[in-house]
Amino acid sequence: MMNELAHKYNEKVIVNFFCFQAGIFNDFFLIKTIIRLIFSKKVIVVATAQDVATLAGVSIGSVSNYLNGKQQRKSTAEKIKKAMEQLDYHQNIIASGLKKNKTMSIGIVINQLTDFFSMSIVSAIEAYVEQFGYSIIVCDYHDDKKRFEQKLDFLLDHSVDAIIVFHQDFATKMLKKVAAEHIPIVAIDAPIRGLKSDVVVVNNYESSKIGVNYLINKGHHKIGIITGTAKNYISRERQRGYEDALKEHQLRNDQTTIWTGDYSIQSGCDGFNELITKNPDLDALFIINYYMSLGAIKAYRESNLHPKIEFLVYDHFFVNDLFFPEISSIEQPVDQIGTTAGKLLINRLSKPNSSDFQTVYCNNILRLK
C-alpha cells in the first residue's frame, strides 16, 4: 500500500494521511520516519512483473512469456526489456522455480574443467539454454568413476532439472537413478550403453576414413595410428575408419602400426617413439585425440623431424595453425554440438513424457594441408 501511495502522491499528502490514522499506532514520529525513508530511497521499492507490464504498455502474460523465454514480437520484447531496465527489475528465480516446480538449473559433468574441447561445448550450451532462463552447474570428475557418481549425486541434491554428461560409454548406478527419477539426460560424444537418452555425436567413422584416404592419396603407404582403448565409442569409431581406409587400398594393417594410449600428452609421446622404433619407414600418423597429438608432435620435434612424417590429428584449435611442419586436422564443430545439446534438452524439458529419443550427428570439418 505504501509503495502505491509513493507512486501517486507527494510526501506531505501521505504524511498527513498517516497522521490522521495515528491513533492506531500511537506513534507519530515512527510513522513520519517510515514514510520519509521511502521517499529518501533508503527503503528499496522492489518492482514487480505487473509494474513492468504497466510501464511497457503490455499484458502481464506478455511479460511472463518474455521471462520464460517464449517467442515474442520484436517490438514487444524491446518494450519489456526497456521497462525492466528502467525499473531495475530482476526476476526472483527461486520463487519462480518453486511456482513451476523447477530450479531452472542444468547440471553438466565433464572429465576435466581444463579440457578446452569440452569447455568450448559447455560455453555454447550455456549461451543457448540461458535464453530460456536456465543456468548451468558444471562439475568435473578427473576420470575417476567414484568421483563421477559423487558429482551426479551432488547435482541430484541440488534438484537440477536436467543433466548433460560427456564421454560416458556405459550406464552407471547413478545415471540409472537419474533416469529413474525422470530427469532428462543428454549424452555428448558417445551413446550410453544400457540407458535411453538423447545423444549428440560427430561422424567419427566417416571423417576418420576420409582423412586417412587423403593421406593415402598423397602417396603415404605406411600409416600408423595412436588410438584409445576399444571400450570407448570414439576410439572404436575412429580406428574403424582408419582400418577400413587401409583395407580399401589393400595396405598392410597390423598391430605394429597401432598404439593404444590413454588420451594424455605423455601417452602420445610414448606412442610416437614406440611406433617409430617398430616402423622406421613410417611416413604418416593418424592421432585420434588432441592431447595425444600434442605429445606425438613434441616427440617428433625432439627427434629433429626425422624421419619425415605427415600428421593427421583430432581436433583443431587455433594453436594447430602454429605447428611446424603444418598438420592436417579433423575439427569438431563445438558450437554446433553445444547448441544441438541445448536444443535437445529444452525440447525434452518441454515434453518430459516423450519416449522419442534422438541421436544427432554433427559433421566434422576436415582441414587438410
Side-chain angles (χ1 to χ4, degrees), residues 248-315:
E248 286 184 4
H249 290 82
Q250 299 179 338
L251 294 177
R252 182 184 176 190
N253 174 26
D254 58 39
Q255 290 302 312
T256 64
T257 57
I258 299 173
W259 168 266
T260 301
D262 62 7
Y263 309 107
S264 67
I265 292 176
Q266 185 58 49
S267 177
C269 184
D270 294 341
F272 176 85
N273 290 328
E274 184 73 14
L275 288 172
I276 287 298
T277 300
K278 291 182 178 180
N279 305 275
D281 57 340
L282 197 73
D283 56 9
L285 183 58
F286 174 42
I287 310 167
I288 71 148
N289 160 269
Y290 184 68
Y291 291 102
M292 290 195 295
S293 72
L294 293 178
I297 292 169
K298 178 177 180 291
Y300 182 47
R301 292 182 66 85
E302 290 174 350
S303 71
N304 296 316
L305 310 182
H306 183 78
K308 186 178 180 181
I309 294 176
E310 182 158 354
F311 286 85
L312 171 66
V313 308
Y314 260 90
D315 296 286

Side-chain angles (χ1 to χ4, degrees), residues 83-350:
M84 289 174 62
E85 291 173 351
Q86 289 179 358
L87 294 171
D88 194 27
Y89 174 81
H90 299 280
Q91 186 181 18
N92 188 327
I93 299 298
I94 295 176
S96 177
L98 289 171
K99 188 176 181 180
K100 301 175 187 175
N101 196 28
K102 292 182 178 180
T103 61
M104 303 305 293
S105 61
I106 294 169
I108 301 178
V109 187
I110 66 176
N111 188 17
Q112 293 192 41
L113 292 174
T114 55
D115 184 351
F116 191 75
F117 167 72
S118 297
M119 288 306 296
S120 297
I121 295 174
V122 169
S123 179
I125 293 170
E126 182 178 35
Y128 185 81
V129 301
E130 68 182 4
Q131 299 176 67
F132 300 87
Y134 286 91
S135 58
I136 64 172
I137 302 173
V138 185
C139 306
D140 67 354
Y141 60 96
H142 299 288
D143 208 24
D144 183 328
K145 293 180 181 179
K146 183 178 179 181
R147 183 179 171 89
F148 176 77
E149 298 287 81
Q150 290 172 343
K151 293 302 181 179
L152 288 177
D153 193 36
F154 167 83
L155 292 172
L156 286 179
D157 286 344
H158 284 72
S159 302
V160 294
D161 298 320
I163 290 177
I164 297 175
V165 295
F166 284 67
H167 317 305
Q168 291 302 308
D169 290 88
F170 303 96
T172 65
K173 182 179 179 180
M174 283 302 302
L175 278 173
K176 290 178 181 178
K177 181 179 179 180
V178 171
E181 295 188 13
H182 305 290
I183 296 172
I185 298 172
V186 172
I188 291 180
D189 219 26
I192 305 172
R193 289 187 184 181
L195 190 74
K196 291 182 178 180
S197 73
D198 294 308
V199 183
V200 184
V201 291
V202 296
N203 59 336
N204 291 286
Y205 169 79
E206 293 82 1
S207 56
S208 297
K209 186 177 178 182
I210 291 171
V212 175
N213 273 327
Y214 169 77
L215 295 176
I216 295 170
N217 291 332
K218 287 189 71 175
H220 300 295
H221 299 292
K222 193 63 177 291
I223 304 171
I225 182 174
I226 296 179
T227 186
T229 173
K231 70 179 182 179
N232 293 141
Y233 171 82
I234 60 169
S235 297
R236 292 195 306 273
E237 289 296 289
R238 294 173 188 179
Q239 184 172 336
R240 189 165 67 89
Y242 158 83
E243 291 175 346
D244 283 356
L246 295 182
K247 287 177 184 177
E248 286 184 4
H249 290 82
Q250 299 179 338
L251 294 177
R252 182 184 176 190
N253 174 26
D254 58 39
Q255 290 302 312
T256 64
T257 57
I258 299 173
W259 168 266
T260 301
D262 62 7
Y263 309 107
S264 67
I265 292 176
Q266 185 58 49
S267 177
C269 184
D270 294 341
F272 176 85
N273 290 328
E274 184 73 14
L275 288 172
I276 287 298
T277 300
K278 291 182 178 180
N279 305 275
D281 57 340
L282 197 73
D283 56 9
L285 183 58
F286 174 42
I287 310 167
I288 71 148
N289 160 269
Y290 184 68
Y291 291 102
M292 290 195 295
S293 72
L294 293 178
I297 292 169
K298 178 177 180 291
Y300 182 47
R301 292 182 66 85
E302 290 174 350
S303 71
N304 296 316
L305 310 182
H306 183 78
K308 186 178 180 181
I309 294 176
E310 182 158 354
F311 286 85
L312 171 66
V313 308
Y314 260 90
D315 296 286
H316 181 93
F317 298 112
F318 68 95
V319 294
N320 290 45
D321 297 326
L322 305 178
F323 291 145
F324 180 80
E326 292 184 322
I327 62 172
S328 296
S329 57
I330 301 173
E331 179 180 2
Q332 299 188 74
V334 291
D335 287 341
Q336 183 187 359
I337 294 170
T339 300
T340 301
K343 287 179 179 179
L344 287 173
L345 204 57
I346 295 300
N347 182 60
R348 181 64 54 187
L349 287 166
S350 65

